[in-house]
Amino acid sequence: MALTLKMLDGVCHLNKCHWQNGFLFRPLLEGCNPRWYSSYRRPGMPPDKMPPWKRIDFSFQKGVEGIKTHFERFKKEIVDHVKGPEGRPLKQYMAEQTRVFWEFRSEEDLNKWIISSDVEIGGKSEIYLELGKNNQSAVLSGTLNTDVPRDGETRYSGYCSMKSKPHLVAFDRKKHYDWSNFNSLYLRVRGDGRPWMLNICTDPYFSHNKNDLYHYFMFTRGGPYWEEIKIPFSKFLFSSQGRIQDQQHALWLDKISTLGFTLTDKVNGPFQLEIDFIGLIMDRAHSEECAYELYERNPKKPKK
């Protein structure tokens, strides 16, 4: 077994094959670090002398159970597809006006999100996600620190973020959300007066669009009272690789991948954001498709 895994290790390094990401191998290989095939190593980290195949915990029983679970999910997908969109009758799906998409009532709800900060690049910011009082909300708290790490490469620091995990279906296939029946994002939050940036990532048609994002700011007023915030999707700004593009277009509501919150207001100190739920609404009074002027990239010059 050790010789077989060692040979697979060599083949993966030669062919850059991420075989451990497959749904058939993943349940069998518990405890395997998915980053072992990467050649990137942060400055100052000691070299890892343990071979990657020695860190693998092979479990045949867990593999069989995992494969059964995936086939059960696939069966449910087929049944839901026959019933209608998202497993509901078409009439009910088309008449829906509101929907609570994310709520925070248990640890399982918190596990649907990922938190990160500038610690990944050597920064000093801290962020925590936990359930609120009586398990009726999620509390996102921590400390923002804009000190730039002394690595000679990083120029800016000081950010904390929270991002939803991609929606996975049977065999770990990514499936995007369809929000085309709604035109506004609806949140019930309680903040400390800091501005947060909302980020929506769509499932790109091409690989070079993977860094495309849609942004809009959420301003919290602070204080002990909850506030309900409604943000039309037409207000979101289109950006690529962190730069707002001159050529704007409406958000692709039928290919939503993830939603995230980012704090980067360059103010050192503690922060706190409490979230009750994140929902969607259809505001019939709002008919705007895109709030920004659409310029042509290469406008034609008028003829003399």
Side-chain angles (χ1 to χ4, degrees), residues 61-269:
Q61 182 179 1
K62 291 182 179 180
V64 174
E65 294 176 356
I67 294 174
K68 288 183 179 179
T69 302
H70 284 295
F71 276 102
E72 291 176 358
R73 293 178 181 176
F74 185 66
K75 179 181 178 181
K76 184 177 183 300
E77 283 185 50
I78 297 176
V79 174
D80 291 343
H81 183 73
V82 174
K83 289 182 179 179
E86 301 180 1
R88 292 176 296 170
L90 181 61
K91 183 178 180 179
Q92 179 183 354
Y93 177 80
M94 296 298 295
E96 189 177 26
Q97 301 292 319
T98 62
R99 183 193 302 180
V100 176
F101 214 83
W102 287 286
E103 59 181 358
F104 305 92
R105 302 295 183 266
S106 63
E107 291 291 339
E108 184 179 355
D109 296 332
L110 297 185
N111 292 334
K112 298 178 182 179
W113 296 80
I114 302 173
I115 57 175
S116 61
S117 67
D118 53 32
V119 174
E120 299 176 356
I121 60 173
K124 300 179 181 180
S125 299
E126 299 178 354
I127 184 171
Y128 307 96
L129 180 63
E130 57 187 359
L131 288 174
K133 187 177 181 181
N134 298 327
N135 296 341
Q136 294 298 313
S137 63
V139 178
L140 188 65
S141 61
T143 304
L144 193 70
N145 193 319
T146 58
D147 292 344
V148 179
R150 298 181 180 180
D151 55 4
E153 298 179 359
T154 307
R155 299 175 58 187
Y156 305 100
S157 183
Y159 73 88
C160 293
S161 65
M162 167 182 167
K163 180 181 178 182
S164 63
K165 293 181 179 179
H167 179 46
L168 300 180
V169 291
F171 308 126
D172 286 346
R173 295 178 292 115
K174 290 185 179 181
K175 185 178 180 181
H176 54 263
Y177 302 113
D178 187 0
W179 294 354
S180 55
N181 286 349
F182 309 94
N183 60 5
S184 300
L185 192 68
Y186 192 80
L187 308 95
R188 187 172 186 261
V189 300
R190 181 162 56 183
D192 55 1
R194 288 188 179 232
W196 289 78
M197 184 166 61
L198 297 180
N199 310 310
I200 295 181
C201 179
T202 58
D203 190 13
Y205 288 100
F206 306 102
S207 60
H208 66 273
N209 298 123
K210 63 181 180 180
N211 294 320
D212 294 353
L213 280 175
Y214 297 84
H215 310 278
Y216 197 73
F217 289 96
M218 179 182 69
F219 296 94
T220 59
R221 60 171 175 251
Y225 301 106
W226 289 91
E227 57 180 315
E228 298 179 355
I229 300 176
K230 183 182 70 173
I231 304 176
F233 291 126
S234 61
K235 302 291 185 182
F236 280 79
L237 291 161
F238 171 64
S239 69
S240 179
Q241 296 182 350
R243 298 178 180 271
I244 297 177
Q245 302 298 299
D246 292 334
Q247 190 172 8
Q248 295 287 319
H249 60 79
L251 177 63
W252 294 340
L253 295 175
D254 60 335
K255 295 182 71 66
I256 302 296
S257 178
T258 59
L259 173 70
F261 301 80
T262 301
L263 177 65
T264 174
D265 58 357
K266 298 182 180 181
V267 179
N268 293 333

